[in-house]
Amino acid sequence: MVEVTFDYQGNFRCESTHGPSTSKLLTDAPTDNEGRGEAFSPTDLVATALVTCIITTMAIAGKKHDVLLDGSKGKIQKIMSTTPPRRIAELIAEIEIPLSPSHPMRARLEAAAHACPVHKSLHPEVKIKIAMRWTGEDSFQRSFP
């Protein structure tokens, strides 16, 4: 169990504290929903949680086979519904993996991405698209130009 506490600071802003580490995080309502948009919104955190969970889960799977994903990067786009109720309608993740497209662990790593706990926790009505770019070179291509 992990406990997170929060203090509502008014003007649609909260400061949350992660119990185990005491790290603090601000959230703010977005400008299109009465807020100032000066920090992550709660739904921004859901999007962030998804993309960081994907790469973390992939890295855990890779570590079991001595495959490091250091240098991976990406982005995520969050699209809100245009009709009530207000909710996340779609999340579009793009992840760049600095391994060869023909890497022997590719299928396992991609399966891990789709099995991350955040992905499995989101409502099925939320459309989730995950695009991965494998940017490394094949070792045989480097050896034999």
Side-chain angles (χ1 to χ4, degrees):
M1 179 187 81
V2 171
E3 183 175 271
V4 175
T5 59
F6 75 93
D7 293 312
Y8 179 67
Q9 299 180 337
N11 294 318
F12 315 115
R13 175 172 284 189
C14 292
E15 180 181 74
S16 299
T17 304
H18 179 249
S21 69
T22 69
S23 293
K24 295 190 181 296
L25 169 69
L26 288 177
T27 58
D28 200 6
T31 56
D32 67 346
N33 196 29
E34 307 293 327
R36 295 178 291 190
E38 295 175 348
F40 284 94
S41 73
T43 55
D44 293 342
L45 292 178
V46 171
T48 303
L50 175 63
V51 76
T52 58
C53 185
I54 288 169
I55 195 62
T56 301
T57 304
M58 290 175 72
I60 291 167
K63 180 183 177 195
K64 293 175 184 173
H65 299 279
D66 296 321
V67 176
L68 298 177
L69 297 183
D70 297 12
S72 295
K73 54 186 157 187
K75 66 181 178 180
I76 191 156
Q77 295 176 331
K78 174 194 76 175
I79 300 167
M80 298 298 289
S81 62
T82 55
T83 58
R86 184 173 173 84
R87 65 179 186 83
I88 298 170
E90 187 172 7
L91 295 168
I92 304 168
E94 296 178 31
I95 301 170
E96 183 177 305
I97 309 295
L99 297 176
S100 164
S102 61
H103 194 282
M105 284 292 297
R106 179 178 176 167
R108 282 189 189 178
L109 293 172
E110 288 182 349
H114 293 282
C116 91
V118 173
H119 191 287
K120 294 296 184 189
S121 298
L122 292 171
H123 193 282
E125 287 182 14
V126 177
K127 293 179 188 168
I128 299 173
K129 297 178 185 171
I130 303 169
M132 292 189 199
R133 284 189 26 218
W134 297 80
T135 60
E137 295 180 27
D138 288 321
S139 58
F140 66 86
Q141 288 176 335
R142 284 195 306 263
S143 301
F144 304 101

